[in-house]
Amino acid sequence: MTTRIVELRRGILKKNDELAAGLRRRFGDAGVLVLNLVSSPGTGKTAFLEITLRELRARGAKVAALVGDLETDNDARRLAASGAPVRQINTHGICHLDAEMIGKHLAGWDGVTSGDDASLAGLEYLFIENVGNLVCPSSYDLGEKIRVALLSVTEGEDKPLKYPTLFNSADAAVITKMDIAEPCGFDRELALRNINEIRPGIRIFETSAKTGVGMQEWLEYLAEARA
Amino acid sequence: MTTRIVELRRGILKKNDELAAGLRRRFGDAGVLVLNLVSSPGTGKTAFLEITLRELRARGAKVAALVGDLETDNDARRLAASGAPVRQINTHGICHLDAEMIGKHLAGWDGVTSGDDASLAGLEYLFIENVGNLVCPSSYDLGEKIRVALLSVTEGEDKPLKYPTLFNSADAAVITKMDIAEPCGFDRELALRNINEIRPGIRIFETSAKTGVGMQEWLEYLAEARA
């Protein structure tokens, strides 16, 4: 059975890669910067994204978000409070988003769209918040330009070593919840060293959605990445 | 391809269930209470288990642990400091433990064993720390008697609603890191309500590995479960 699984898995990933390559072309043609946010459940992806959407909109940017969860539309409702168009993808048991799910949720975007890629042409930034999972999303390209691995100060500094596939495939790393670094006994030097061991030279942002620390640097990075 | 995946997945789970049933018989015959600890990465399974092993050993109990991670033996080394026999299972990319992995790691246990089930006969408690993942481990029975879902105060009170499969299949829930509940703005009532909505009447332990709060109640629960 193992051989069949390996073959089937290879087939699934190959098909996903093809769909993702198509999405990447569409995103590039439409001039929209697409980011895929991946982390453990509870790292604070949604809180981080709430501020990001709000701040980008305050600067006049055209932003939108897709958010994946097994169940509930809690996150979409939180993100929609920013005023940005947001869509929830419920995977109903699937532990990651894939390129096909993204493709299906791009069409006919309310408030942005008319037609198909018209929706994308109106956008500058599209954020995809993946299902909370440090393992499975790593293997599924969503056509993003930037994969962001998030890690909170509460999770233990060795997570990059224990989940190398994600950190190794990430373009940027975001440390969240810096406001509670002290009560959590967070060892900053060790965390930075571990991230750099897996992905040398990666851009790292140390942030807090509560105090706003690190967000300015992050927003500048986004503007540069789009330019 | 979807039909083939569904069929294959059904086959894999069926095979796992058969192996798990065999393990459950072995564990029952040997009189060892087996627990499967599942949570998000960074919830504090290892810290919680460190205290549990140490306290049980201080009471003269025969305990051991199996610990799953994609990579590294960090957790096994941490747990071994308790003096209990511990084995690391590296899954190398697989996002959960399965019954076959458990079976393979039971034989010839150093320091406890001679022969095969001789190792189990010497044990009273076997703790299995799963790969940090709130999704995939839910589907894989490991032959445990008690499945424990852990959730830290840092992760957001809605996790039981967003990951219902795990909480719905759990026999006990453990809330960790109660010592930092206040700086995290943890809403205790909401968390308890959400756990109870998914799994009404489940035993819930509110704990801190740092202060030791809630551990007495947990240890009493373990003793009762074994009796």
Side-chain angles (χ1 to χ4, degrees):
Chain A
M1 189 173 273
T2 310
T3 315
R4 275 175 64 205
I5 295 169
V6 170
E7 274 170 22
L8 193 65
R9 191 178 144 78
R10 200 173 289 149
I12 291 167
L13 290 177
K14 186 165 174 282
K15 186 189 159 203
N16 186 77
D17 283 346
E18 288 164 5
L19 289 173
L23 287 176
R24 189 167 282 110
R25 275 194 301 275
R26 280 179 67 183
F27 295 147
D29 292 346
V32 54
L33 178 69
V34 179
L35 297 98
N36 178 7
L37 277 60
V38 185
S39 82
S40 183
T43 298
K45 287 184 293 305
T46 312
F48 177 74
L49 199 43
E50 273 180 283
I51 301 198
T52 303
L53 294 177
R54 209 169 56 219
E55 292 294 323
L56 284 173
R57 279 174 56 84
R59 286 157 176 75
K62 299 276 200 324
V63 298
L66 287 171
V67 50
D69 272 302
L70 275 69
E71 304 292 343
T72 84
D73 64 348
N74 291 2
D75 287 358
R77 282 188 282 115
R78 283 173 61 189
L79 293 175
S82 68
V86 177
R87 281 185 172 178
Q88 181 78 48
I89 305 176
N90 277 143
T91 64
H92 302 297
I94 308 288
C95 51
H96 57 268
L97 294 178
D98 63 30
E100 189 176 2
M101 297 179 201
I102 300 301
K104 276 183 187 164
H105 284 79
L106 289 178
W109 195 294
D110 289 334
V112 192
T113 184
S114 61
D116 188 35
D117 272 20
S119 59
L120 292 174
L123 277 181
E124 291 168 330
Y125 299 90
L126 173 64
F127 295 88
I128 303 171
E129 181 183 334
N130 221 309
V131 175
N133 187 328
L134 273 186
V135 189
C136 316
S138 314
S139 306
Y140 291 84
D141 185 1
L142 304 183
E144 72 267 19
K145 182 164 180 197
I146 298 176
R147 183 175 291 188
V148 186
L150 296 92
L151 173 73
S152 86
V153 299
T154 73
E155 290 171 38
E157 298 81 359
D158 63 352
K159 288 295 166 295
L161 308 180
K162 291 167 81 177
Y163 300 86
T165 319
L166 169 62
F167 286 87
N168 193 36
S169 67
D171 303 291
V174 172
I175 304 176
T176 61
K177 307 190 189 184
M178 285 301 291
D179 56 293
I180 52 168
E182 206 179 304
C184 290
F186 178 63
D187 186 336
R188 176 178 177 270
E189 294 308 318
L190 181 58
L192 297 180
R193 193 160 68 239
N194 287 341
I195 295 171
N196 269 293
E197 184 177 327
I198 299 298
R199 187 69 156 173
I202 189 174
R203 276 293 295 272
I204 304 175
F205 301 90
E206 299 171 59
T207 69
S208 162
K210 213 171 262 178
T211 66
V213 68
M215 293 307 295
Q216 188 56 41
E217 210 183 338
W218 165 248
L219 292 167
E220 282 164 15
Y221 169 79
L222 290 180
E224 282 163 28
R226 227 196 138 251
Chain B
M1 189 173 273
T2 311
T3 315
R4 276 175 64 206
I5 295 169
V6 170
E7 272 171 22
L8 193 66
R9 190 177 145 78
R10 199 173 290 148
I12 292 167
L13 291 177
K14 186 165 175 281
K15 186 187 158 206
N16 186 77
D17 282 346
E18 289 165 5
L19 290 172
L23 288 175
R24 189 166 282 110
R25 276 193 302 274
R26 281 178 68 184
F27 295 146
D29 291 348
V32 53
L33 178 69
V34 180
L35 297 96
N36 178 8
L37 276 60
V38 184
S39 81
S40 183
T43 299
K45 287 184 293 304
T46 312
F48 178 75
L49 199 44
E50 272 180 285
I51 301 198
T52 302
L53 294 177
R54 207 168 58 218
E55 292 292 324
L56 284 173
R57 279 174 56 83
R59 286 159 175 74
K62 301 277 201 319
V63 298
L66 287 171
V67 51
D69 272 302
L70 273 70
E71 304 293 342
T72 84
D73 64 348
N74 291 4
D75 287 358
R77 283 188 282 115
R78 282 172 63 189
L79 293 174
S82 69
V86 177
R87 281 185 172 177
Q88 181 79 47
I89 305 176
N90 276 143
T91 64
H92 303 297
I94 308 287
C95 51
H96 57 268
L97 295 176
D98 64 30
E100 189 176 2
M101 298 179 199
I102 300 302
K104 276 184 186 161
H105 284 80
L106 289 177
W109 195 295
D110 288 334
V112 192
T113 186
S114 60
D116 187 35
D117 273 19
S119 59
L120 292 174
L123 277 182
E124 292 167 329
Y125 299 91
L126 173 63
F127 294 88
I128 304 172
E129 181 183 335
N130 221 307
V131 175
N133 187 329
L134 274 187
V135 188
C136 315
S138 314
S139 306
Y140 290 84
D141 184 0
L142 304 182
E144 72 268 19
K145 183 165 179 196
I146 296 175
R147 181 176 291 187
V148 186
L150 296 93
L151 173 73
S152 85
V153 300
T154 73
E155 291 171 38
E157 298 81 359
D158 63 353
K159 288 296 166 293
L161 308 181
K162 290 167 82 176
Y163 300 87
T165 319
L166 169 62
F167 285 87
N168 193 35
S169 68
D171 303 293
V174 173
I175 303 176
T176 61
K177 309 192 188 183
M178 284 301 291
D179 56 291
I180 52 168
E182 205 178 305
C184 291
F186 178 63
D187 185 338
R188 175 177 178 270
E189 295 307 317
L190 180 58
L192 296 179
R193 192 160 67 238
N194 286 341
I195 295 171
N196 269 292
E197 183 177 327
I198 300 297
R199 188 67 157 173
I202 190 174
R203 275 294 294 273
I204 304 175
F205 301 89
E206 298 169 61
T207 70
S208 162
K210 213 170 260 178
T211 67
V213 69
M215 293 307 295
Q216 188 57 39
E217 209 183 342
W218 164 249
L219 293 165
E220 283 165 14
Y221 168 78
L222 291 179
E224 282 163 26
R226 227 197 137 252

